[in-house]
Amino acid sequence: MSVQVGIDRLCRDQASLVRGRRVGLIAHPASVGGDLSHAIELLRHVAGATVVRVFAPEHGSGGGHQDMAGVDETYDPLLDAPVVSLYGNDEVSLSLPAAALDGVDVVVADLMDVGARYYTFYATIVRAMPACAAAGVPLIVCDRPNPLGSAVEGGAVREGFFSFVSELNVGQRHGMTVGELCRLAHAQQQHDLQLDVVPCRNWQRTQGWDETGLAWIPPSPNMPTLDTAIVYPGGCLIEATNLSEGRGTTRPFELIGAPWLSARRLAVALEDLRLPGVRFRPVRFLPAFQKHKGTDCQGVFLHVTDRKTFRPLVTGVAVIIAARDQSPADFAWRREAYEFRTEPLAIDLLAGNDAWREMIEAGASALELEQSWQKEQAGFVEARRPFFLYPE
């Protein structure tokens, strides 16, 4: 039985929540119903509902802007609607401005997530909550399946390390849906906000995306396939280094390398770890943009052989350690601004602490790092349960 996403349920079963109201819609290209109609079209078919404004997250309403590219958008000709960008050129731009809610009766949020703490779309909704509360505007979150199911991997966010890529204190691979994350944030923020989450129908939290009957719509330019999402919780860590994470190729986050590496040596070192559910194939690739643009790189392609046993986070850590061990003089952590923050370092923002980086620099193995977050991971597995919308 196909899964029915929240936007379809809102417009068909709970239309009274938006009927006769002026709607502000937080959406991107993957905000579609089961018939592939965009959320704005579905809402326009609800009698009496009027979409007066679209709020666009990172990558813009059309989803074409690259990561961390500021977007100054005022109108989307495809959606035929005015747009307010929630990802501009500074950290202030990440929050919904109070003036943007003038003439809005209710905000509807429908954003596809990929199950990783650093994927910024859920953070966009969380940062809109205070503005909605202050304006007395209800927020409706239309839920979607987590493409990675319910598995958890990773540790906590420690004080001083919260950011747009660590908005909530959840695991790097959190195993929650956007609606569940918003319920958690609502409980923590304690704002006087009317929050309604419209759950999916027929989804079980152990299901992967390819078991839902839903089409995969890339939610961002470098998330072209489900395979990308599966490796992303570990692959995103590569952004915090001078290694290429495969941006500028057709297989971002599955391809990892650099001009100074030996692909064969890297593949052998990683294969020797016998990490579950993944194989490493030596490759050469030529990024068309971003890191090492136009430069021949050597590295590895991650082939996930068993999604159920694959641990993307520890795999990403293992790739970083192996690349650093092969050429420590060439390897470097990213020191440029990351999501508008120059401190802490990008790797510390993604890790939620500086301990991971210090352990790697001290020569720790990937499995030792994995052991270091087990207690925090176990605590989060329990702490998230009160916010579940779907049984385990």
Side-chain angles (χ1 to χ4, degrees), residues 26-46:
I26 304 177
H28 58 185
S31 305
V32 300
D35 67 353
L36 301 183
S37 296
H38 193 273
I40 197 168
E41 298 300 330
L42 296 172
L43 286 164
R44 283 170 174 165
H45 283 92
V46 176

Side-chain angles (χ1 to χ4, degrees), residues 43-124:
L43 286 164
R44 283 170 174 165
H45 283 92
V46 176
T50 306
V51 179
V52 297
R53 201 162 297 130
V54 173
F55 301 111
E58 186 176 8
H59 309 295
S61 65
H65 295 266
Q66 289 296 322
D67 61 304
M68 291 181 276
V71 181
D72 182 14
E73 191 172 17
T74 58
Y75 180 78
D76 187 317
L78 181 62
L79 301 180
D80 189 23
V83 176
V84 174
S85 173
L86 298 183
Y87 196 94
N89 295 301
D90 54 35
E91 192 158 8
V92 174
S93 70
L94 305 179
S95 298
L96 199 160
L101 291 174
D102 290 347
V104 172
D105 299 320
V106 61
V107 171
V108 174
D110 180 27
L111 295 178
M112 171 72 180
D113 188 62
V114 298
R117 185 169 80 199
Y118 0 86
Y119 206 59
T120 60
F121 293 139
Y122 83 87
T124 293

Side-chain angles (χ1 to χ4, degrees), residues 227-296:
D227 289 338
T228 322
I230 289 168
V231 301
Y232 179 78
C236 183
L237 299 177
I238 309 302
E239 292 183 4
T241 74
N242 61 347
L243 304 172
S244 169
E245 65 273 12
R247 279 192 166 92
T249 76
T250 59
R251 303 306 289 260
F253 303 108
E254 295 176 277
L255 278 170
I256 299 170
W260 57 83
L261 290 173
S262 162
R264 294 195 181 279
R265 285 178 57 197
L266 186 63
V268 168
L270 289 166
E271 283 283 289
D272 284 348
L273 295 176
R274 301 288 192 270
L275 294 173
V278 63
R279 296 292 306 276
F280 302 92
R281 177 171 58 88
V283 293
R284 292 172 58 192
F285 61 95
L286 197 71
F289 56 83
Q290 293 204 5
K291 292 181 194 171
H292 311 305
K293 174 184 175 181
T295 304
D296 188 43

Side-chain angles (χ1 to χ4, degrees), residues 374-390:
Q374 289 304 304
K375 184 176 180 180
E376 292 175 341
Q377 177 177 304
F380 169 65
V381 167
E382 293 301 318
R384 67 184 183 147
R385 287 197 169 105
F387 306 102
F388 280 178
L389 292 164
Y390 315 91

